[in-house]
Amino acid sequence: MKIKEIWFEGDYLCGRDEEGREYRQSLLWYPRLRKASEEERGRYTMSTVGIHWRELDEDVSFESFAYEDAEPTKLQRFFLTHREINVSEFAKLAGINAALLRNYINGFKKPSKERERQILEQIHALGKEYAEVDF
């Protein structure tokens, strides 16, 4: 597949291929592109395999438009929007291997329901701890 045209709609990068099919994917996967100005987003080049924003040091492959996980899961969305959370340290708190948690966040692996519950419980515990801070 080759994308011939791109545009942005809210938090999505959209594209149209050679046959007129439209695709979209979340900008949460591309933080530099998500934070970029309209002008910066407009300065890109297309190659035979994807789109490149030199100033932003961001690349999007044409192939990625066809991925099943163009929209992050709730778990992925949480960690992608809260980059202030150190994934390695959070994984230690939750008793999970840090590499495994990164694989969940990046979509390389899918957590079981039990593992999702374990992660969610740690998120809630962390939130409760933050809520109890008093100066």
Side-chain angles (χ1 to χ4, degrees):
M1 169 203 359
K2 182 165 181 168
I3 299 294
K4 291 292 190 182
E5 176 187 2
I6 65 165
W7 65 96
F8 295 86
E9 285 181 7
D11 284 334
Y12 293 93
L13 169 60
C14 303
R16 184 174 293 116
D17 72 9
E18 300 159 317
E19 285 144 29
R21 289 184 298 250
E22 292 185 0
Y23 302 87
R24 73 180 200 162
Q25 54 182 308
S26 175
L27 288 175
L28 288 175
W29 298 118
Y30 310 102
R32 290 181 294 258
L33 195 52
R34 182 175 182 230
K35 293 178 183 177
S37 69
E38 194 172 321
E39 186 177 291
E40 290 171 317
R41 288 177 177 181
R43 289 193 293 266
Y44 63 88
T45 57
M46 286 197 187
S47 69
T48 56
V49 295
I51 311 154
H52 177 67
W53 286 264
R54 183 177 181 168
E55 289 175 28
L56 302 173
D57 191 28
E58 192 74 82
D59 295 287
V60 176
S61 70
F62 293 144
E63 178 185 25
S64 67
F65 281 90
Y67 290 169
E68 288 181 26
D69 63 351
E71 183 64 34
T73 65
K74 289 179 182 179
L75 172 71
Q76 291 167 325
R77 183 172 288 279
F78 177 80
F79 284 100
L80 291 169
T81 57
H82 292 282
R83 296 203 180 260
E84 71 276 9
I85 296 175
N86 180 303
V87 174
S88 293
E89 293 303 317
F90 181 89
K92 286 179 192 175
L93 285 173
I96 300 170
N97 178 283
L100 183 59
L101 181 57
R102 282 191 196 87
N103 281 329
Y104 295 154
I105 294 167
N106 293 320
F108 301 131
K109 293 189 176 210
K110 298 202 183 290
S112 66
K113 290 294 179 194
E114 174 64 23
R115 183 67 70 169
E116 280 183 343
R117 184 190 57 71
Q118 182 182 5
I119 295 167
L120 187 57
E121 284 176 1
Q122 188 58 52
I123 290 169
H124 289 171
L126 188 59
K128 184 179 178 190
E129 186 177 329
Y130 284 171
E132 292 174 353
V133 171
D134 188 19
F135 294 100

